[in-house]
Amino acid sequence: MSSSLNAPKASLFVCSTVASLGGFLFGFDTGVIAGALPYIRQDDMFPDDDPVYSSWIQGTIVSSTLIGGALGSVVFGMAADMYGRHRILVLTDGIFVLGGILMCFAGSCLELILGRFIVGLAIGASAVIVPVFISEHAPAHVRGEFVTMNTVYVTVGQLAAYIVNVVCSYVKGTWRVMLGLSIIPACIQAVGLVYIKPAHEKTSTAKRAWKSVLERPVWDQVKVGVGLQMLQQLAGINTVMYFLPLILESAGIVSIQTSLKLSMIPAGCNFLGTLVGKRTIDHHGRRRVLLTSLFGVAVTLLGMSVAFTLSSRTSPLVDPAQGASTCPSSPTTCSACISSGCVFCMDVSSYTDGTCIRKDEMFNATALCASSLDKDRVTAFEHTCPTPFVYSASIFLLTCAYLLAFSPGLGPIPWIICSEIFRQDVRGFCMGIASFFNWMTNFIVCQVFLTSVVVFGANGTFFAIFLITCGGMWWVFSNVPETKGKDFEEIQALFTQDPE
């Protein structure tokens, strides 16, 4: 057997905890950038005279990690098959430290982007190697529980990132500390790995790995792994998380600190849901938990689509009595105002109609609105229209419900199944291919999402994700095998037996 069937549970817990620090780094580095970006903008890192170029730079800072993750997953996945998971995991820690130092001391946007890309390489490597590393150390009957520890630590890392964002938001210039803190857990993991004995691993070569992927049954396994990883992203996890600040803005909450504090609630739901998955996946089976998770995700997405439809019907008008409109296109509604690239100003305390003003790079939107409406409690809306509290609260609660449905199944199970189904000598490489499609689907969805919201509206966008999720349920039911309680040899037999 390739699993360490006689491994004591205490030592297995220590092994999984040390390895899962890679998951913590994954979650922390992907979450901390949301809180760091507003303060990077305040630190004169972006050009003020060209808003288009400034927006492109900000997008590149975020997406450089996604590109690095996609590349790192394939390169280091293959390297893990050639040189061993243990060695590559230690190397990954070194890459985390290098990227963290570069981000912490970045003197230009280019250095910051390079640091984010390097960290992305390490995140991509960690996402592939950690589940495989744990899977190969864990007995079959508790493999799901211990591999899920990596996902638990991802959510802990995200929650820690939000806490760090809030704490650091009270001190100017601390974005460097926020981005550089990943050095600490990387060093702890590197030290811990010294005391963990590597599992017995068959080595492979790049030529043999590519050849094996194109042959059955490995090709059938790759299709299942790629499908699961793409479904995880197509089900809208990152669109929901990225849209959260706009939901808060639509409720009149535009303070960075307040938004960061409220964002910890969905992050906490994500963490709690993952703990539920950790306790149920080995008991109820991968397929049952995954299908139940997909059903819950579909229901909440449909609810969000309905809530956005109802809220759009209450969009306030541009009322000349509230103040002179200076937007060149002379819009008559809030939606038209924002679509024109202008700012909608409104007194949210009374929820009356507002005015639409042209952006001025010399002043922030709140100051412009305050001078335009001559009121103390005016709020500026740059990305989404204000919504009555009942709809904003409903969408926020549905977001939390979505995460509670997503996190027990669709969050960890693609990684669990991918760590189980591939043949050992090409497991890292095949896992890297599946992870590559996860990263690239994430990148594409992020690029398309905001455009889709503008063209089809938030209600149409989330309804489309609902339809994709329903299609994903059918695909999982038809194509994904149950691997609960099976050792690696039994799982391989699932793909080699003749169909009846």
Side-chain angles (χ1 to χ4, degrees), residues 391-467:
Y391 296 123
S392 295
S394 298
I395 295 169
F396 183 81
L397 291 175
L398 282 166
T399 301
C400 294
Y402 169 93
L403 291 169
L404 287 171
F406 180 95
S407 52
L410 200 49
I413 289 179
W415 299 105
I416 294 172
I417 293 179
C418 284
S419 71
E420 295 175 321
I421 61 175
F422 301 122
R423 202 174 67 205
Q424 189 184 42
D425 60 321
V426 291
R427 189 171 292 143
F429 180 55
C430 292
M431 183 83 165
I433 293 175
S435 180
F436 172 85
F437 278 91
N438 183 299
W439 286 100
M440 293 311 298
T441 306
N442 184 1
F443 177 77
I444 293 169
V445 168
C446 291
Q447 293 296 315
V448 171
F449 176 66
L450 289 179
T451 303
S452 176
V453 170
V454 172
V455 175
F456 303 108
N459 55 337
T461 300
F462 281 98
F463 186 73
I465 301 173
F466 159 75
L467 294 178

Side-chain angles (χ1 to χ4, degrees), residues 10-30:
S11 62
L12 181 58
F13 177 81
V14 173
C15 170
S16 300
T17 300
V18 172
S20 295
L21 285 173
F24 178 89
L25 288 164
F26 185 168
F28 184 84
D29 279 293
T30 53

Side-chain angles (χ1 to χ4, degrees), residues 177-384:
V177 177
M178 296 160 71
L179 296 180
L181 280 175
S182 61
I183 295 172
I184 298 174
C187 292
I188 294 173
Q189 185 185 53
V191 173
L193 286 170
V194 173
Y195 299 97
I196 295 177
K197 183 180 179 181
H200 176 69
E201 302 164 359
K202 296 180 181 179
T203 58
S204 181
T205 63
K207 183 177 180 180
R208 188 194 309 164
W210 279 107
K211 183 179 179 181
S212 297
V213 167
L214 301 176
E215 299 174 348
R216 297 189 66 182
V218 177
W219 176 246
D220 295 330
Q221 297 165 356
V222 169
K223 288 190 293 184
V224 171
V226 168
L228 285 170
Q229 295 291 348
M230 291 182 66
L231 178 59
Q232 185 186 71
Q233 294 301 322
L234 291 173
I237 178 61
N238 283 309
T239 59
V240 169
M241 294 304 291
Y242 294 157
F243 206 68
L244 183 60
L246 303 186
I247 296 171
L248 297 176
E249 181 181 321
S250 71
I253 301 169
V254 294
S255 165
I256 296 175
Q257 293 175 345
T258 304
S259 294
L260 289 174
K261 291 175 182 177
L262 287 176
S263 295
M264 287 193 290
I265 297 176
C269 292
N270 197 19
F271 169 68
L272 292 175
T274 306
L275 288 180
V276 172
K278 182 176 181 292
R279 301 295 297 176
T280 59
I281 288 171
D282 280 323
H283 181 69
H284 296 290
R286 283 65 159 147
R287 277 172 55 89
R288 182 181 296 181
V289 175
L290 181 56
L291 288 169
T292 303
S293 175
L294 281 165
F295 178 78
V297 166
V299 170
T300 53
L301 286 170
L302 182 60
M304 292 174 74
S305 177
V306 172
F308 276 117
T309 299
L310 295 175
S311 67
S312 65
R313 296 177 181 175
T314 63
S315 180
L317 303 175
V318 175
D319 184 3
Q322 297 293 327
S325 176
T326 60
C327 187
S329 60
S330 301
T332 58
T333 66
C334 171
S335 300
C337 172
I338 291 176
S339 298
S340 301
C342 298
V343 180
F344 185 77
C345 306
M346 174 180 157
D347 182 2
V348 293
S349 61
S350 57
Y351 200 80
T352 57
D353 295 328
T355 188
C356 185
I357 61 174
R358 170 187 273 174
K359 289 184 179 180
D360 189 332
E361 297 303 322
M362 297 296 293
F363 302 95
N364 64 48
T366 302
L368 288 171
C369 286
S371 61
S372 175
L373 289 182
D374 194 24
K375 293 181 179 180
D376 295 331
R377 300 190 63 181
V378 66
T379 302
F381 296 89
E382 298 183 77
H383 308 290
T384 186

